[in-house]
Amino acid sequence: MNYRDELEAGRDAFGHLIKVWHERNGWSQRVLPALAERLELGRVHNSQLSNLRNRKLTSPGPELFVALGRINELLAAQGPAGLSPELEQQISDQPELLAALQSSALPLLSDSDEALGPAQLFEIFVGLRQPPGAFDLRIDVAEAAGLSAALAELLTAGRPWRLCRDQLIAAYPGEKRQRRERFAEVMAGQREYSAEELDAELADLRRTLAVLGAADEQELSADQFLDLLRQKARLLEQPGQGEEESDLAEAIRRQLQA
């Protein structure tokens, strides 16, 4: 792998890392910028976080890594009982920020349970270090079709699309028409999500389960949801799954005879 490939892979890994960090904690993109500014740990902009997640920020300045690393080390220093009284006092004048961190303040930890600081985050961004396994949820191009099929099977509970279409469309939180149309096509089996699309949709797809009342967001984390889809995709690929329906004409004849 040449250095350009390393940089590209690093940006991709770092984008996933930031995305999963936010999803694990249920944070909005306002949390980290507000915390950095309030505690004077550096400057982080909402637009930077958005572009990092979308792998569009190719050359961030060092201050970004310093701020994110310091924030992460601060969160890692909090005790198992929650935020320290000192930190709560420091951000007490920002109730929205305080509530977000009281709800969840999980840090980014390495595979050896050490907090990732500015240097380690920079190394991930430039491809010199792999992200922690627990935060690496990247979806491979080759598995996207199988995961799409597993997703449709899960959300429709194996029922015909026409019987659950209205309920699923109402539960899906995406607002843009193109995304809603794509969701419907995948659920109906008319197409599959690409790896990039599925990665971007994962949070809203998990929320769809919560809106349906099938699984609370707190009960099924993003990584658990993806692992569930991967397990279901493997089951669908096993020999014998759907084998009796492989001959369409024969399947129709059985329906006529029923």
Side-chain angles (χ1 to χ4, degrees), residues 1-256:
M1 180 182 294
N2 61 41
Y3 80 92
R4 290 188 180 86
D5 291 335
E6 284 185 347
L7 289 172
E8 181 65 27
R11 285 194 294 268
D12 182 64
F14 196 81
H16 280 273
L17 183 68
I18 296 300
K19 180 173 182 280
V20 174
W21 191 20
H22 277 77
E23 289 177 351
R24 289 270 174 88
N25 285 294
W27 290 339
S28 72
Q29 289 189 173
R30 296 188 298 271
V31 171
L32 295 180
L35 187 59
E37 181 179 4
R38 182 65 185 83
L39 300 183
E40 298 183 347
L41 298 175
R43 298 183 64 186
V44 182
H45 300 290
N46 290 342
S47 60
Q48 288 178 310
L49 293 175
S50 177
N51 287 330
L52 280 173
R53 290 172 59 138
N54 295 321
R55 278 82 79 187
K56 293 180 180 178
L57 187 60
T58 58
S59 301
E63 186 175 9
L64 176 65
F65 298 102
V66 171
L68 292 178
R70 285 177 174 176
I71 290 172
N72 190 54
E73 290 172 338
L74 174 69
L75 297 181
Q78 304 305 302
L83 303 182
S84 67
E86 180 184 4
L87 179 56
E88 288 189 343
Q89 179 61 35
Q90 288 177 298
I91 61 176
S92 61
D93 60 337
Q94 298 192 31
E96 184 178 344
L97 174 60
L98 177 60
L101 294 180
Q102 286 177 331
S103 176
S104 184
L106 298 174
L108 293 170
L109 300 178
S110 69
D111 291 330
S112 56
D113 290 331
E114 297 176 352
L116 299 179
Q120 291 76 33
L121 293 177
F122 177 75
E123 288 176 344
I124 293 173
F125 183 80
V126 296
L128 296 178
R129 172 192 285 260
Q130 289 297 309
F135 288 89
D136 191 358
L137 301 182
R138 284 172 287 180
I139 296 171
D140 190 84
V141 173
E143 64 177 340
L147 291 176
S148 297
L151 178 69
E153 181 75 12
L154 174 66
L155 293 183
T156 63
R159 296 185 298 168
W161 167 238
R162 64 171 59 88
L163 297 181
C164 48
R165 176 181 54 206
D166 293 343
Q167 190 176 3
L168 279 178
I169 291 297
Y172 175 70
E175 296 182 357
K176 291 185 178 180
R177 187 181 68 179
Q178 184 178 11
R179 289 181 57 199
R180 297 181 71 81
E181 290 175 349
R182 187 65 46 83
F183 172 74
E185 289 171 346
V186 173
M187 292 300 99
Q190 296 174 343
R191 59 154 293 162
E192 292 85 31
Y193 281 126
S194 67
E196 185 178 46
E197 288 172 334
L198 191 51
D199 175 68
E201 289 286 339
L202 204 59
D204 277 344
L205 293 171
R206 189 163 63 98
R207 292 189 188 100
T208 302
L209 280 178
V211 174
L212 289 170
D216 189 271
E217 283 192 73
Q218 304 302 319
E219 297 175 358
L220 190 66
S221 66
D223 48 333
Q224 289 173 328
F225 179 50
L226 183 55
D227 186 55
L228 173 66
L229 291 181
R230 283 172 169 153
Q231 291 180 32
K232 194 167 187 62
R234 286 193 291 269
L235 287 174
L236 291 176
E237 292 173 357
Q238 287 182 0
Q241 295 294 320
E243 198 171 82
E244 62 181 16
E245 301 294 331
S246 59
D247 187 329
L248 180 60
E250 178 59 29
I252 293 174
R253 282 194 289 271
R254 285 199 298 273
Q255 292 293 325
L256 292 173

